[in-house]
Amino acid sequence: MTRLTEAALGSLPAAVGRPRYDRAALRTGIVHFGPGAFHRAHQLPVYDALNAAEPRWGVVGVSLNSRSVAEALNPQGGLYTLALLDAAPSFEVVGALRRVLAAGEGAAILEAIAAADTRIVSSTVTEKGYCLTADGSLDMGHPAIVHDRVGEGAPQSLVGWLVAGLAARRAAGAGGLTVLSCDNLADNGAKLGRAVAALAATRGDDLAAWIEGEVRFPSTMVDAITPATDDALRERVREVAGVDDAWPIQRERFWQWVVEDDFAPGARPDLAATGVTLTHDVRGYELAKLRLLNGAHSSLAYLGIERGHGVVAEAMRDAALAGFVERLMREDIAPLLTAPVGLDVSGYIAAILERFSNPAIRHQLIQIAADGSQKLPYRLLDTVRAARAGGRSIERLAMPIAAWLRFVERGEGVADPLAAKLVGRPAREVLGLREVFGELVDDAVFVETVLAAKPL
Ligand code: CS2
């Protein structure tokens, strides 16, 4: 079977979508850190829609921690298949990704960021990639940040690469640009901007002042359930598209992208034309999504795994668990949200539960369970803080947190940057980790309520 390459596009079955522009004319307008499954599921199809009108929103990806994406996609010219899975699945080949650079290609990375055509540097590096403390500031003691402060050799962190890239861009006289965080953390753009400013300030030159004046860091909310690629998807793409795709991507059909309308002057992609919501109130959308969808997701993951479930849709067929999660959303999380104007929160919750129940999506609970120490602060602990401040019960909120403590104590399949401090450790010890729980470690009501919480 032929490999998915530019030459294979012309022979794809009519039902399979493909780039509707000449990829040879594609210019690079975006450098993206973390071209993993979510970026390829969520943002790249948007740029491809824009490229059909004006092919100047090509993307150069940068993988900091692995060569696997580069090795899979560069031989395909960046092409990959996106499957939208529901009762009537559809498949399209996405062409906006031009190539993927790896961390060892530092000169090419800096050149891409400094290029005049580049207007956006974006990121999907997951929460842990920001090297932040529990209160959202740059962790100056993080090993990668300690390395990047010294400034010898290639940076090791996203923040370090952004500072180095912006310095190169300034030196090239290319002017400012927009840094677009597309990760699941509240105030993602503001936090990334502060982290970049903090690291730039350690240089002892006036780069931080230049960044303050020339670079914008809008916040965003991103949403599309994107299960990891598996062999079943690869086989399905062979059947439907008749090509071997080294790394196809699967996603639900639902998609939402809310972006703060705060871009650097100059050319910018017309995101609104593709259904992206541009607004000055991203925070309301962010908190609703992080706390309702992601808070429910993490609750389903830890409570579902200990009830023997493997995927989200299966956990949703467990009436006791699904009922608990719906009550958690409606009675413990929603009342503490200031929803954006016009958002029907009850309908939003119902839509999330329906999305979770999609039988066409096999979303592994163990995938969602990863990086709990980085996810729970935004997904559940901020709601706990609001509940405690309001004198509200945290009985239900304590249950998924307690389930996470049991998950890490059991140690099965725990993937977490803090694993050494978590795996096999007793709950009371983990509850004392300030880098996860912040000031909640001193809240006896919180600690004892979590320790008393039993499996569902
Ligand atoms: C999930 C998210 O893996 C996880 O932690 O909760 O990736 C979730 O699928 C997305 O945020 C949905 O937009």
Side-chain angles (χ1 to χ4, degrees):
M1 185 165 286
T2 55
R3 179 83 180 259
L4 173 58
T5 61
E6 194 78 35
L9 289 177
S11 57
L12 290 172
V16 176
R18 72 217 60 201
R20 296 294 179 198
Y21 55 92
D22 174 8
R23 292 188 80 225
L26 190 56
R27 291 156 54 197
T28 300
I30 298 154
V31 176
H32 184 85
F33 284 83
F38 187 77
H39 175 61
R40 284 183 266 144
H42 183 270
Q43 296 112 56
L44 278 166
V46 171
Y47 300 139
D48 237 14
L50 293 172
N51 286 329
E54 182 193 12
R56 70 137 7 267
W57 301 111
V59 177
V60 166
V62 180
S63 292
L64 292 181
N65 301 317
S66 159
R67 298 190 60 85
S68 59
V69 178
E71 289 166 359
L73 296 185
N74 286 345
Q76 299 184 177
L79 294 167
Y80 63 94
T81 315
L82 174 62
L84 302 186
L85 300 180
D86 54 16
S90 58
F91 295 76
E92 64 177 291
V93 172
V94 177
L97 183 63
R98 304 193 70 189
R99 63 189 169 116
V100 178
L101 300 172
E105 301 174 85
I109 296 169
L110 296 181
E111 183 184 343
I113 296 173
D117 263 354
T118 300
R119 303 301 306 141
I120 291 175
V121 178
S122 53
S123 61
T124 48
V125 294
T126 77
E127 300 88 339
K128 60 181 178 291
Y130 289 71
C131 305
L132 302 179
T133 58
D135 69 1
S137 51
L138 184 62
D139 180 357
M140 288 297 187
H142 189 290
I145 301 302
V146 170
H147 170 275
D148 293 349
R149 283 188 63 177
V150 172
E152 289 172 5
Q156 293 180 352
S157 68
L158 166 70
V159 176
W161 273 110
L162 288 174
V163 170
L166 291 171
R169 185 171 183 85
R170 183 191 185 195
L177 50 62
T178 301
V179 175
L180 198 66
S181 168
C182 297
D183 278 293
N184 273 327
L185 54 157
D187 295 327
N188 50 16
K191 284 176 180 159
L192 184 52
R194 288 196 294 271
V196 167
L199 187 62
T202 66
R203 292 164 54 97
D205 62 13
D206 61 354
L207 179 66
W210 182 83
I211 292 170
E212 173 69 25
E214 301 292 332
V215 181
R216 308 305 301 161
F217 294 84
S219 287
T220 74
M221 182 278 268
V222 292
D223 190 2
I225 289 174
T226 306
T229 297
D230 52 23
D231 288 341
L233 175 65
R234 289 188 180 89
E235 184 51 39
R236 201 161 178 193
V237 168
R238 287 191 194 97
E239 288 166 11
V240 170
V243 289
D244 259 332
D245 183 345
W247 203 331
I249 298 295
Q250 58 191 341
R251 196 199 88 191
E252 64 173 331
R253 193 169 297 279
F254 175 91
W255 163 91
Q256 186 176 19
W257 194 5
V258 180
V259 178
E260 183 181 4
D261 194 1
D262 179 21
F263 282 70
R268 56 184 274 191
D270 182 7
L271 296 175
T274 67
V276 173
T277 301
L278 288 171
T279 176
H280 292 292
D281 174 27
V282 177
R283 183 162 177 77
Y285 288 95
E286 276 182 329
L287 292 186
K289 193 267 180 171
L290 276 169
R291 295 186 185 183
L292 286 170
L293 185 149
N294 293 115
H297 243 182
S298 292
S299 301
L300 280 169
Y302 301 120
L303 291 166
I305 286 170
E306 64 184 12
R307 291 170 67 86
H309 301 309
V311 299
V312 172
E314 177 193 351
M316 288 301 290
R317 291 193 292 272
D318 177 338
L321 178 52
F324 168 82
V325 167
E326 180 163 8
R327 279 192 302 281
L328 186 75
M329 297 169 83
R330 293 192 181 283
E331 299 172 28
D332 300 283
I333 299 175
L336 294 168
L337 281 173
T338 303
V341 173
L343 179 69
D344 163 19
V345 175
S346 180
Y348 184 62
I349 291 170
I352 289 170
L353 295 169
E354 185 176 350
R355 290 166 61 194
F356 285 175
S357 303
N358 179 353
I361 292 279
R362 290 190 55 74
H363 200 177
Q364 299 294 336
L365 295 175
I366 198 68
Q367 174 187 341
I368 299 167
D371 299 342
S373 69
Q374 311 297 304
K375 294 177 178 179
L376 291 194
Y378 302 101
R379 298 182 176 199
L380 289 167
L381 300 183
D382 283 345
T383 300
V384 166
R385 290 186 176 92
R388 293 287 294 129
R392 294 172 62 95
S393 164
I394 59 168
E395 296 287 334
R396 269 191 293 266
L397 286 164
M399 289 180 65
I401 296 166
W404 176 65
L405 295 173
R406 293 190 294 268
F407 173 74
V408 296
E409 186 168 16
R410 290 194 304 270
E412 301 145 15
V414 176
D416 195 296
L418 298 185
K421 298 181 179 179
L422 301 172
V423 173
R425 302 300 178 96
R428 187 175 289 277
E429 180 180 322
V430 176
L431 276 171
L433 291 175
R434 283 186 189 279
E435 58 260 56
V436 179
F437 296 97
E439 84 297 347
L440 287 172
V441 303
D442 299 319
D443 180 336
V445 169
F446 168 70
V447 170
E448 296 311 321
T449 303
V450 172
L451 290 174
K454 300 302 177 207
L456 191 62

